[in-house]
Every structure is written in C-alpha cells, then in structure tokens.
Amino acid sequence: MQTSPVLSDREQTAMKAKMQDQLTRLLQKRPSKAELMQQNIIKQASLAPSLQATQQRLLKKKGKDLLSRSLQNRRTHDELRDQNIIKTPTSSSLQHVSAGQQLAEFLNRRPTVDQLRQLNVLKETLVWSRETCSTPSARNCHTMSLVSDNLFLIGGFGGRGFGGNKWFNDLLLFNTSRMTWSRPVISSSALSERYAHTTSLVGSKLFVFGGFGEGEGGRWLNDLYVLDIQEPKKSQRTKGHTLPIPPSYASVAAAPSETSPASSTGSSPGSVHPVRLPTFPSDSASTSLTGPVLSWSKPVTQGKIPPPRAAHTCTAIGSHLWFFGGNDGSQFFNDIHVLDTETLTWLQPIPEGAGPNVRAGHTATAVKRDIYIFGGGDVKQLFNDLWILHTDTRRWREAKISGTPPTPRAGHSTVAVNGKLFVFGGGDSSRVLNDLHLFDTASLTWSRPSDTGVVPAPRAGHTATLVGSRIFFFGGGDVDGRVFSDLHVLDLCLMASVFHNTPRAIESPRVSSAETPKFSESFHKNSVDLDDAEEDVTLGLLREIKDAAALQHKSFQRDLAEIRQSLDGLEQIRRLEYDSLMEKLIMLETHVQLNPSQLRRKHSKQLRTPSIGS
C-alpha cells in the first residue's frame, strides 16, 4: 500500500504559507453582494419579512454572545498598566481626592469654638453689618420689643424738615428669622401718636406708657395702653381700602425683663437731647395685608398715677414695671414709680440712699434683679455716671467704676448680655456719636471692645434689641436734621468674655410657645428659634467651613464631569464598534433569502480546496 511521504517542518511551513496565499487570492476574487443579487444567487431580505425578523433575532443573539466573550477576555487594569498601555496615576491627579479626605477628617475632629478661643485663633471682635431689607419710615424716639422672634415697633417721631413734624402710632413687626416686615390688623382704636415713650413686655402683654404726643404745642402723656398678644383673633381682610405700608420698617428696644435682659433707650423732648428731628418718610407704598387681629386696651389702674412725662425709662423685673426719671418740659424727674401688672396697681417706693440726679434720655437696664442706670441729663448738664438700684432691698448705690467711661451723653442705647452692658451712640445738642463701650457688671470696669464691619452713622434716639447673639439697631437722628431708617446688626458670637462658660445663658425676652400657641403658629410657621447660644456662637466658623466645602465640592463636580465625559466617549466608541460589527454581519449573513441550488454551485466553484500538488 502506497503511503504519503513525510514532510519536514520546513516543507510543512512552506505548504501552509502557499495555501494561505491561495486562500487570500480566492477571497479577494469573491463576488460582492450586489453581483450575487444581479445573478439571482441571493435575494433581498425585504422580499421575505418573516425570514428577516427571524434572522435579525438570531444575529442579535450572536452579536451579544460575541460581545460578552470579548468583554470576558478583556485585559484588567493592572495588566494594561503593566504593559504600559495606561499610566499610573500621579499625585496631582489624586490631589482633589486627597483634599476631600482631609476636609472630611477635619470636620470629624474640628475644634470647638471655646478651644479656638483658648488657642487665640478667634479674637474678641464684634462684627457690624447693615441689612438690605426694606425698612419703615425714618424715625427716632420709638420703641422696639422682642416677642418670640418678632420685633414690635411702636410709635416714634419724624418729619419733612424742621418745619414739618410727624408723630407715629403705627405697630409694625419685624421677623428676625426671615428678616421681613409685616403689619398686623388692629381691631380696636389705635394707640395715640407719641414718641419718647416706653414699651415693656410682661408675659404676653406689651405695656406702653407716657411720652410726648401730637397736639397744639404737643402733649405730655401719662396714659397706659396694653397690647395682649396671647390669643389674637383670626385675621380678616380689610374691605374697601388697603392698609398703607411704608417701604421700610424698624426695630425697637424694649425694657429688659427679669429673666431675659433686653435693651433700654431713653430720649428726651426737652433741651438735653435733640428732639423733633426731621425725617423724610416715604409712605406712598401701600398693600392689603392680612394677619392676626390684635387690639389695644386702656386698663383702669389703682393707686397714684405718675405725672405726665417723656424720655423716662421702664424696666421689667418679674411682674413689676419700674419707671424712673424723664421730664415734662418744665421739670426733670428722678422719682421711682412701680406698676404691679397683675393687680394693675401703682406704687411709689422710696429707695434708701442718695439716688441719681434728675435726668432724662438715660437708659435703665436689668441684670438679674438689679437695674443699672447710665447717662442722661437735665437742662444744665449731661451725665456719664452709673447707678445701681437693688430692687430686692430697694437701695441705691453709685458704682465705683474702673476704666475709662463713655463721655457724658443722652439718647444712647444699652443692652445687657450675660452681665455685660453694651452702650452705643447718643450725644448732646451739638453732636452725636457712634462709639461702642462695654461695662462689666461683675468687675465694674469700662472698656472699648474691638469692632469692625459696617458701623452705623453717629446717631441718638435709636433703639437696640438683643436677639440671640445679635443686637439689632434701628433708626435714630442727628443734630443736622437727619433721621434714619436703616437697620444694623452687631454680631457678638466671637466675644469670649461674653459667652465663656455660658452656652445657654443668652435668652431674649420672649413669650414661650406654651403661653402664646396661636400667635406662634400664625407668625412663626417657618421661623428658626436659636435658643442654643452654642449654636449661635459657631455660626461664623460654620460659614467659613461651608464656604471651603462648597469650593471643594465645585472642584469635585468639575472632575466628575470630566470623568463622565470620558466614559460617555468610550461608551459611544463601543456602540459604534458594536453597530459596525452588526452591520457587517447583517450584510454577509442577513436580510437575504438563499437559492439552495445556485448557492451550492457557486460555493463549489469558489470554496473548493486546492490539492497539494496543484
């Protein structure tokens, strides 16, 4: 039997190369799809829709299987890096990730505000700012009282130049959380026009007393009005007219209460303080408002009513209102009158010891159950002495101070914060000031705190009200005839000497939510009550951290966008490759209906394997 010769390795290699070359030439000479269709060897797929759908389904499955095998066989990231196809990430490419990790670690172990103060990172600095919200008509010698997170502005004086005067009796509300103004609806006869009066909060009632009212030559008042804010009636829209709303509104200083110190201001319609300062109100704007309906009442009191007066002070100690000083145009006072708000009875205690001289335009501020009286003056002179009235023992004491006190003045404001008195502004008939002083009631020491920011212009007859760790200043006037309607805020959060070891000691005079549920619901649905002083203190630091985090977040977003764009590009390339592959498969094997006899003859000519000897 004849056996085939055994080929050497060289011969086998040469044979394989020859066969490969022949196969390549045959494939290059194969007819195109158009030639096969012209010779009627293959038909268009559109002629057999049912066969086309079946073939497409089979080919899609085949394409998916092919793609799946390709993805399974793809090289890993480490293999591509080992083969130097991709480069190892450098430190610069990981910079943003590292920064983000560092920020997260810092936020987890960031120091407290007290620790930053001890390390002298945060300095004893007060920061001024001016609010850009709309404000009421310009005025001075008004009052402002804090109830929950609303400031109640009552009365004041303004006018169009020295020849035109205007008294106010409006009641406006400023929400310190939303920084917006509103006007409540008054159901009963309103408070008569006045300025240089006092307003004090006791429980859920505001007590307004005295002042200088409108009339021929003016009227010195000693009437008492009460505004009960505990259960206001449901709001009703005013029909037939709109309620005029000035485009700008103000803040007013209320007399401090026993449990929550606030500010007190004094302003005199006499010669010791610039009064009847002109204002330039803009009351043309009006709108129709709805809100809780409040009502004024004029209660009947017992006992001897104090003589008419203005530019006096009123300080709330528990349920008792302590009135001191003032003037009636012909004389100045240094007497004390007390109103028991529970029985509506007037008392006139006579404290032991020599008390302050007669005066008006002073301030009287409560620290615990003591009243600190500073400044003011009479026809002859202004004062910068400081007196303490101990209400429990009913004894006067002049403070033996150290440090440099403020210059003599009247029409200034004083706010108590954790036993520290902040005195701002005031002046005399020739000039007004915008300096800030601090008095420590524990050491009886005066000092000048460091402040920065947008400091208010010099003024007197303004108001200052403590809200959390901020003091709101509004209005006032100067000796040049200007009256102000601007609203400034003094932020105390960086004062370590004020907030040290007293994380919850900052309380503003307010009516609790239990006492005034309906009022709170109607005015404070969206309000934020910052009762926790530690939260107030950290606001400045948190703003800086948030700003840094925001910048880092923007950088992360940019990097993420670039990565997504690269991935989208790769995905698009993959889809194009897949579509191209599918198109080739469809062109070669789909959209056709084969003629079996012609296909066999054609393939027998083109795909016959050549013999080795040929």
Side-chain angles (χ1 to χ4, degrees):
M1 184 175 66
Q2 185 178 0
T3 60
S4 59
V6 178
L7 302 178
S8 63
D9 294 340
R10 179 178 298 179
E11 292 175 340
Q12 290 181 1
T13 302
M15 182 180 295
K16 289 180 180 180
K18 183 178 180 180
M19 294 178 64
Q20 183 70 27
D21 184 60
Q22 292 177 354
L23 180 60
T24 301
R25 288 197 302 270
L26 289 173
L27 292 176
Q28 291 176 352
K29 295 179 180 180
R30 71 176 184 268
S32 64
K33 181 179 178 180
E35 293 173 347
L36 294 175
M37 292 177 64
Q38 290 177 358
Q39 298 176 12
N40 201 25
I41 298 177
I42 60 175
K43 296 182 179 181
Q44 294 184 2
S46 58
L47 301 178
S50 59
L51 180 61
Q52 177 187 7
T54 302
Q55 289 176 339
Q56 284 182 349
R57 186 168 57 254
L58 293 175
L59 287 175
K60 285 183 179 179
K61 183 177 183 301
K62 183 178 179 180
K64 289 182 179 180
D65 294 340
L66 179 62
L67 180 62
S68 177
R69 289 194 298 271
S70 299
L71 293 177
Q72 290 176 357
N73 295 330
R74 67 183 177 185
R75 287 171 289 187
T76 64
H77 185 273
D78 293 336
E79 291 175 347
L80 294 174
R81 188 172 54 193
D82 294 340
Q83 296 175 13
N84 203 26
I85 297 177
I86 61 175
K87 296 181 179 181
T88 304
T90 61
S91 58
S92 60
S93 63
L94 299 177
Q95 181 178 5
H96 295 304
V97 178
S98 177
Q101 294 176 350
Q102 292 177 3
L103 178 61
E105 294 175 358
F106 169 75
L107 293 177
N108 290 331
R109 55 181 175 79
R110 65 184 183 272
T112 63
V113 174
D114 289 337
Q115 292 173 342
L116 293 176
R117 288 171 179 158
Q118 293 174 2
L119 296 173
N120 201 27
V121 176
L122 297 180
K123 297 181 180 180
E124 294 265 342
T125 304
L126 303 173
V127 181
W128 288 97
S129 63
R130 178 174 178 173
E131 298 301 324
T132 57
C133 60
S134 296
T135 55
S137 298
R139 65 189 71 194
N140 72 128
C141 304
H142 48 278
T143 61
M144 186 84 79
S145 304
L146 180 63
V147 181
S148 188
D149 57 357
N150 276 326
L151 293 173
F152 280 63
L153 167 63
I154 299 175
F157 177 84
R160 300 182 185 275
F162 287 105
N165 300 324
K166 183 175 181 179
W167 284 258
F168 292 100
N169 68 337
D170 49 359
L171 172 62
L172 304 173
L173 275 66
F174 178 73
N175 186 276
T176 59
S177 298
R178 298 186 293 271
M179 306 300 284
T180 57
W181 287 89
S182 62
R183 182 196 296 273
V185 179
I186 305 298
S187 63
S188 61
S189 59
L191 176 77
S192 61
E193 294 84 354
R194 66 189 63 210
Y195 68 92
H197 53 284
T198 58
T199 302
S200 301
L201 175 67
V202 177
S204 62
K205 296 180 180 181
L206 288 173
F207 292 82
V208 177
F209 176 79
F212 192 72
E214 187 176 11
E216 184 177 356
R219 296 182 298 115
W220 303 89
L221 305 173
N222 66 341
D223 51 356
L224 179 68
Y225 281 84
V226 177
L227 181 67
D228 193 343
I229 59 176
Q230 184 171 4
E231 294 185 358
K233 300 177 183 179
K234 294 183 179 180
S235 61
Q236 298 177 353
R237 185 174 295 274
T238 304
K239 297 181 179 180
H241 66 279
T242 59
L243 300 176
I245 302 300
S248 53
Y249 294 159
S251 83
V252 176
S257 65
E258 174 188 9
T259 58
S260 49
S263 63
S264 64
T265 61
S267 56
S268 170
S271 59
V272 301
H273 173 66
V275 298
R276 301 191 182 182
L277 298 175
T279 185
F280 305 93
S282 177
D283 294 339
S284 58
S286 64
T287 183
S288 180
L289 296 182
T290 59
V293 179
L294 305 177
S295 61
W296 287 104
S297 63
K298 199 171 183 180
V300 177
T301 60
Q302 305 294 325
K304 184 179 179 180
I305 302 176
R309 64 188 65 199
H312 55 285
T313 56
C314 177
T315 310
I317 302 293
S319 61
H320 291 74
L321 298 179
W322 292 70
F323 297 84
F324 173 77
N327 77 318
D328 63 1
S330 61
Q331 62 176 331
F332 289 79
F333 302 102
N334 65 346
D335 53 351
I336 290 179
H337 296 267
V338 177
L339 176 64
D340 187 336
T341 59
E342 295 179 350
T343 62
L344 293 178
T345 302
W346 285 103
L347 307 172
Q348 190 173 6
I350 302 178
E352 297 180 5
N357 294 334
V358 294
R359 65 188 65 198
H362 54 281
T363 58
T365 312
V367 177
K368 297 182 179 178
R369 296 187 62 84
D370 295 334
I371 299 176
Y372 288 75
I373 295 175
F374 172 75
D378 57 19
V379 177
K380 299 179 181 180
Q381 61 178 332
L382 295 178
F383 304 105
N384 65 344
D385 51 354
L386 195 145
W387 290 81
I388 304 174
L389 175 61
H390 303 283
T391 59
D392 288 339
T393 60
R394 299 189 177 183
R395 179 186 298 274
W396 280 112
R397 178 168 67 94
E398 184 175 7
K400 297 181 179 180
I401 64 172
S402 59
T404 303
T407 57
R409 64 189 65 199
H412 53 281
S413 62
T414 302
V415 177
V417 185
N418 292 345
K420 308 294 192 301
L421 302 182
F422 289 85
V423 177
F424 174 78
D428 54 31
S429 58
S430 61
R431 65 166 186 164
V432 290
L433 307 168
N434 64 343
D435 51 352
L436 182 66
H437 297 264
L438 179 64
F439 181 75
D440 189 340
T441 60
S443 62
L444 302 180
T445 303
W446 283 104
S447 62
R448 285 293 303 273
S450 174
D451 59 342
T452 185
V454 185
V455 182
R459 65 192 62 202
H462 58 280
T463 54
T465 312
L466 176 66
V467 182
S469 63
R470 298 176 297 169
I471 302 177
F472 286 74
F473 294 81
F474 174 78
D478 61 18
V479 296
D480 296 325
R482 293 183 301 172
V483 178
F484 303 104
S485 63
D486 49 356
L487 177 63
H488 290 262
V489 177
L490 181 63
D491 197 333
L492 313 178
C493 67
L494 299 182
M495 289 293 291
S497 60
V498 175
F499 295 101
H500 182 63
N501 295 328
T502 55
R504 299 188 60 87
I506 305 174
E507 298 289 341
S508 301
R510 68 187 68 224
V511 180
S512 67
S513 57
E515 293 175 328
T516 59
K518 295 184 179 179
F519 183 83
S520 298
E521 291 173 4
S522 58
F523 277 98
H524 314 302
K525 290 182 179 179
N526 300 320
S527 64
V528 179
D529 192 3
L530 301 179
D531 284 333
D532 192 343
E534 189 66 24
E535 182 179 357
D536 288 339
V537 171
T538 58
L539 288 179
L541 179 61
L542 287 178
R543 291 192 192 100
E544 296 180 1
I545 295 175
K546 288 180 179 178
D547 292 341
L551 293 176
Q552 192 66 47
H553 178 69
K554 291 181 179 178
S555 178
F556 290 157
Q557 290 295 330
R558 288 194 298 268
D559 294 343
L560 183 60
E562 294 177 358
I563 294 174
R564 287 177 176 173
Q565 186 176 3
S566 300
L567 292 176
D568 291 341
L570 293 175
E571 178 66 16
Q572 187 175 5
I573 293 174
R574 187 192 66 79
R575 288 184 178 275
L576 291 175
E577 292 177 349
Y578 176 77
D579 293 341
S580 177
L581 176 62
M582 294 299 299
E583 184 178 358
K584 291 179 180 179
L585 291 174
I586 291 173
M587 290 178 62
L588 294 175
E589 303 179 18
T590 66
H591 299 91
V592 299
Q593 183 175 2
L594 302 178
N595 187 320
S597 59
Q598 294 178 347
L599 185 61
R600 281 195 297 272
R601 287 198 303 271
K602 192 71 177 179
H603 284 188
S604 64
K605 294 179 180 180
Q606 294 182 355
L607 302 179
R608 184 182 297 116
T609 305
S611 62
I612 298 176
S614 60

